[in-house]
């Protein structure tokens, strides 16, 4: 892996990874031509025909040789020996230096420049992936596809065609969520891509749900974990930034409203700890309360066309929390959903729910969210919206 020079100090393994990223970005695969020794050309020392790069540069730059002589690299000696193939060949006086030939040469030069630009962009993506702690080749490849795609459809197609080994496809939702949380301002591109991915491949729904739950636990880690860390002499984990909390709330809300994740995924949110509900619970941290408020605001700020899906979301929680919904209301799961139903209803009636929202009745305004909260609260209480 350490062998190989040139290429800006890249090893052969790094050059191979860079070529794979460029091929993924360009949605095509380039196959280098073998040279006379049976080795694959097109590397840092040989050109695409297998000739040394220094010779190729000299042929292109030398005025004595001429531009037309460059094509001799692709000429086999046996073709010169066969008389029947000589007619119309470019090296004959009547065919050499035609406009069509020089046009093809200019097109080839433009293609080389485009490939060099793509390699430079691919190297930049790899550096960004390392900066975001994408510490495996699978994660780096997924990151380059997600960030370097033209749109969500292009990214989805390339993600599904990645040659990932068994269980490595679980890294796709993890990388996707991490990219979303790292954005300075919320980017709905990641939400749409995650939705389409869950629709296309059903097993990604559970992986995405577990990834979201892991991030929710990081917002408000258990008190016992902090105490254990202090007892062992380690520093407590740093608090999650408000930017990540806001992005996670909108990402989670979007997946719930569009039914990419089931409504019961909300049971990971401890609204009881916020002071709502009949039974007491472990008090939530200020950042956890902020996440719950932003999450409810994002759900209730769904456009009017999605208001029916929002009602269906709370109807499912009401049905399963009361013991209905397909027989899943019994046991510990039923108790959790019943507590979620009660605490969620109280949270929807809280005066702090519309805190930080702009005034007005437009989508995302205080009046709009307050009206949606009243409808959802009525649904959870067993009434109509």
């Amino acid at each position: 892996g350490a062998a190989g020079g040139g290429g800006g100090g890249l090893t052969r393994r790094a050059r191979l990874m860079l070529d794979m990223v460029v091929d993924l970005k360009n949605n095509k695969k380039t196959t280098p031509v073998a040279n006379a020794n049976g080795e694959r050309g097109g590397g840092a020392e040989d050109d695409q025909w297998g000739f040394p790069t220094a010779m190729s540069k000299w042929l292109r730059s030398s005025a004595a040789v001429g531009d037309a002589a460059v094509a001799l690299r692709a000429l086999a000696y046996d073709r010169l020996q066969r008389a029947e193939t000589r007619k119309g060949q470019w090296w004959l006086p009547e065919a050499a230096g035609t406009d069509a030939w020089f046009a093809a040469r200019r097109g080839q030069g433009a293609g080389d420049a485009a490939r060099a630009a793509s390699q430079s962009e691919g190297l930049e993506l790899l550096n960004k992936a390392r900066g975001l702690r994408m510490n495996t080749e699978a994660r780096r490849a997924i990151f380059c596809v997600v960030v370097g795609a033209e749109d969500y459809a292009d990214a989805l197609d390339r993600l599904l065609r990645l040659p990932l080994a068994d269980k490595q496809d679980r890294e796709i939702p993890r990388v996707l969520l991490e990219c979303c949380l790292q954005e300075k301002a919320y980017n709905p591109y990641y939400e749409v891509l995650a939705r389409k991915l869950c629709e296309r491949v059903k097993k990604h729904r559970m992986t995405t749900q577990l990834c979201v739950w892991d991030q929710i636990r990081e917002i408000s880690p258990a008190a016992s974990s902090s105490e254990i860390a202090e007892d062992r002499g380690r520093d407590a984990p740093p608090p999650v930034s408000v930017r990540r909390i806001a992005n996670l709330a909108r990402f989670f809300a979007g997946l719930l409203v569009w039914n990419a994740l089931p409504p019961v995924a909300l049971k990971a949110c401890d609204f009881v700890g916020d002071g709502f509900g009949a039974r007491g619970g472990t008090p939530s941290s200020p950042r956890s309360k902020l996440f719950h408020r932003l999450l409810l605001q994002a759900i209730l700020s769904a456009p009017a066309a999605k208001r029916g899906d929002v009602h269906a979301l709370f109807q499912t929680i009401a049905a399963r929390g009361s013991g209905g919904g397909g027989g899943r209301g019994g046991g510990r799961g039923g108790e959790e959903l019943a507590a979620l139903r009660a605490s969620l209803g109280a949270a929807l009636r809280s005066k702090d729910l519309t805190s930080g929202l702009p005034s007005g009745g437009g989508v995302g305004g205080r009046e709009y969210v307050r009206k949606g909260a009243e409808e959802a609260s009525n649904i959870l209480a067993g009434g109509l919206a």
Side-chain angles (χ1 to χ4, degrees):
L10 294 176
T11 63
R12 292 183 179 178
R13 182 175 181 181
R15 280 204 308 272
L16 177 60
M17 186 65 187
L18 180 59
D19 290 338
M20 291 175 62
V21 171
V22 172
D23 291 341
L24 284 172
K25 182 180 182 299
N26 295 332
N27 204 17
K28 64 180 181 180
K29 183 176 182 180
T30 56
T31 304
V33 180
N35 59 18
N37 297 327
E39 300 175 350
R40 298 174 72 86
E45 301 176 358
D46 300 334
D47 64 357
Q48 59 178 337
W49 303 102
F51 284 77
T53 305
M55 180 183 292
S56 300
K57 291 182 179 179
W58 176 76
L59 287 173
R60 285 194 294 266
S61 61
S62 176
V65 176
D67 193 19
V70 179
L72 282 171
R73 293 175 300 170
L75 179 63
Y77 181 72
D78 58 344
R79 295 185 62 188
L80 293 173
Q81 296 287 356
R82 295 196 299 268
E84 64 275 7
T85 62
R86 296 184 62 184
K87 185 176 180 179
Q89 300 276 346
W90 64 265
W91 59 84
L92 296 180
E94 63 270 17
T98 61
D99 293 339
W101 188 87
F102 282 107
R105 287 293 302 165
R106 286 192 295 269
Q108 181 181 357
D112 293 341
R115 179 172 177 80
S118 298
Q119 287 183 342
S120 176
E121 185 177 355
L123 184 59
E124 182 180 356
L125 290 177
L126 284 176
N127 292 333
K128 288 183 179 179
R130 295 188 186 96
L132 294 177
R133 297 174 298 177
M134 303 296 171
N135 49 10
T136 64
E137 292 186 1
R139 290 186 178 182
R140 287 193 288 268
I142 296 169
F143 174 84
C144 292
V145 170
V146 171
V147 178
E150 296 180 359
D151 52 23
Y152 80 88
D154 181 38
L156 179 63
D157 182 61
R158 296 185 187 184
L159 285 175
L160 296 179
R161 290 191 294 142
L162 276 178
L164 299 175
D166 186 29
K167 296 183 180 180
Q168 281 186 336
D169 56 352
R170 298 178 181 176
E171 300 292 345
I172 296 178
R174 297 182 184 277
V175 173
L176 192 57
L177 179 57
E178 184 62 29
C179 291
C180 177
L181 300 185
Q182 290 284 351
E183 291 284 348
K184 294 182 179 180
Y186 182 72
N187 190 344
Y189 162 76
Y190 303 105
E191 175 195 328
V192 176
L193 181 55
R195 277 180 10 219
K196 299 299 180 181
L197 186 66
C198 293
E199 292 175 3
R200 185 75 68 88
V201 185
K202 297 301 181 182
K203 63 180 180 180
H204 285 316
R205 296 188 67 182
M206 179 56 67
T207 306
T208 303
Q209 177 176 309
L210 294 177
C211 292
V212 171
W213 284 1
D214 290 341
Q215 294 296 329
I216 293 175
R217 295 188 185 98
E218 290 184 6
I219 294 176
S220 181
S224 57
S225 300
S226 302
E227 294 173 357
I228 293 175
E230 293 178 358
D231 292 341
R232 295 183 178 179
R234 298 196 305 264
D235 295 333
V240 180
S241 65
V242 176
R243 180 196 67 205
R244 290 178 66 93
I245 293 174
N247 290 345
L248 178 62
R250 295 187 62 178
F251 181 86
F252 191 20
L255 297 184
L256 289 170
V257 171
W258 286 87
N259 200 28
L261 292 181
V264 293
L266 273 173
K267 67 182 182 180
C269 301
D270 184 18
F271 295 98
V272 176
D274 294 350
F276 305 118
R279 62 185 180 87
T282 303
S284 300
S285 65
R287 293 180 182 272
S288 181
K289 294 180 181 179
L290 173 64
F291 169 72
H292 295 158
R293 176 164 57 85
L294 295 178
L295 175 62
L296 292 179
Q297 288 179 356
I299 293 175
L300 299 173
S301 296
K306 300 297 295 180
R307 185 55 66 90
D309 296 296
V310 175
H311 293 169
L313 169 67
F314 291 104
Q315 285 171 355
T316 302
I317 296 175
R320 296 190 176 182
S322 61
R328 294 178 58 88
R332 180 179 179 182
E335 294 178 358
E336 292 178 348
L337 292 176
L340 173 63
R341 176 188 178 186
S343 60
L344 187 56
L348 290 170
R349 294 188 295 270
S350 172
K351 296 181 179 179
D352 297 333
L353 179 60
T354 58
S355 176
L357 294 177
S359 59
V363 177
R366 292 183 181 179
E367 298 300 325
Y368 187 88
V369 172
R370 175 60 63 188
K371 180 180 178 181
E374 292 176 357
E375 295 174 353
S377 180
N378 292 337
I379 292 174
L380 291 176
L384 299 176

